[in-house]
Amino acid sequence: MDTQHDCANCPAYNKANLIKLGLNLDNIDYVIALAGNPNTGKSTVFNNLTGLHQHTGNWPGKTVSRAEGGYSYDEKRYKVVDLPGTYSLLSTSTDEEVARDFILFGQPDVTVIVVDATRIERNLNLVLQILELTKRAVLCLNLMDEAERNHLEIDVRGLSKELGVPVIPCVARKMEGIPELLQAIKEVADGEFICRPPQIKSHSKKLNHAIASLSEKLLDSYPGLPNAKWVAMRLLEGDNSIIEAVRSGELGNLNEIQPGVQA
C-alpha cells in the first residue's frame, strides 16, 4: 500500500468501510488497530491505552467479539480497535479474516503490532504479513522483562531499521514503555515518521508477470482497490475467502470509497 499522509491533519483511514464494520467515527481524528499473536499481552496494551474508555461487541455478521476504546493524546482523539489475536492473516479462520479485512479495507492510520520479546522469530510471521498490507505500523515489543530474565539481548534499533517501522520496548503490565508507544503512534499517524517496511519481491519472472497482470484486472474492476498486488497474490494462492469476495462482488462492496477519503 503506497498511501502516505499529504498533511499532518489528514487521516488515512477508510471512513466508509469502517462505518460498515460498525465503528462510530464521530469526533475521531485517527483510527488505530491493535494486532498480534495470542498471549503477547495485547489485551494489557489495549487496556493501558484506553483505560475505562472502552466497550465490547461483535463484528457485524460474525460471532467474533470486538473490543474498542479511545484516548486523547496531544490534542488528538484516537479510536483503538483490538483485533482478534492471530498467528497469520491468510484467512484460515474467521479471526484471521476479520483482522485481515480490517487492516486491508479499513486502512487504519496506524497498526500497532504487539510482539512477545521472548519469541520474536515466531511472531515475525504475522509482523511481515501485516507490513505487506500497510506501511503505517508500530511494533510494540512487549514482555521485555521476560526477555531480560531469559538473558535475551535485543537490538531494538537494528530491528527498527530492518523492519522500517518504530520499535518500542514495553512491559505493559507495569506501564513501562507506554508513554513512548503513545508518542510513536502519534508520529506515524500524523506523518512525522514515514515507515518504510521492506518490499518482499519474487525472483520468478512468471510469478511477477502473473501478479502484475491480475493486479491490473482487479484495478479495472475495482478502481482504487488498496494493495491490489496483495489481493492478486492471495487469489493466485487460492485464498477461498478472497476468491469468493471477487465472485460475489463483495470485494467491490468492501472497497467502496467515500468521496474525499484516500485509498
Side-chain angles (χ1 to χ4, degrees), residues 4 26 35 41 51 75 100 116 136 155 157 163 172 197 220:
Q4 294 290 352
D26 294 343
E75 300 183 353
R100 181 200 66 193
D116 180 347
R136 299 180 297 271
D155 181 359
R157 184 173 294 183
L163 294 176
D220 284 343

Side-chain angles (χ1 to χ4, degrees), residues 45-177:
V45 174
F46 175 74
N47 290 334
N48 287 345
L49 292 176
T50 61
L52 297 176
H53 305 286
Q54 57 178 263
H55 64 272
T56 59
N58 279 2
W59 293 87
K62 311 284 185 184
T63 57
V64 179
S65 64
R66 175 177 75 200
E68 62 180 81
Y71 68 89
S72 295
Y73 184 79
D74 198 24
E75 300 183 353
K76 296 291 184 180
R77 293 152 301 186
Y78 295 76
K79 166 87 75 175
V80 185
V81 178
D82 189 10
L83 300 179
T86 62
Y87 293 104
S88 166
L89 293 182
L90 298 183
S91 194
T92 56
S93 72
T94 306
D95 285 2
E96 292 174 5
E97 186 179 337
V98 163
R100 181 200 66 193
D101 287 351
F102 188 88
I103 297 170
L104 178 61
F105 298 111
Q107 298 172 264
D109 294 280
V110 184
T111 298
V112 176
I113 314 166
V114 183
V115 167
D116 180 347
T118 69
R119 295 176 171 84
I120 293 177
E121 186 174 355
R122 189 176 74 175
N123 285 209
L124 276 177
N125 180 47
L126 179 66
V127 172
L128 294 175
Q129 287 180 21
I130 290 174
L131 294 181
E132 282 187 281
L133 288 182
T134 177
K135 290 182 177 179
R136 299 180 297 271
V138 173
L139 192 72
C140 173
L141 200 56
N142 194 27
L143 303 173
M144 284 295 291
D145 54 341
E146 295 291 336
E148 290 173 11
R149 192 173 294 120
N150 286 282
H151 309 292
L152 297 174
E153 293 186 13
I154 300 169
D155 181 359
V156 174
R157 184 173 294 183
L159 186 61
S160 177
K161 186 177 180 181
E162 287 293 325
L163 294 176
V165 302
V167 176
I168 309 299
C170 287
V171 183
R173 60 174 170 257
K174 298 179 182 178
M175 289 293 290
E176 294 175 10

Side-chain angles (χ1 to χ4, degrees), residues 212-224:
S213 176
L214 189 51
S215 299
E216 190 176 329
K217 291 178 180 177
L218 283 167
L219 288 170
D220 284 343
S221 300
Y222 309 106

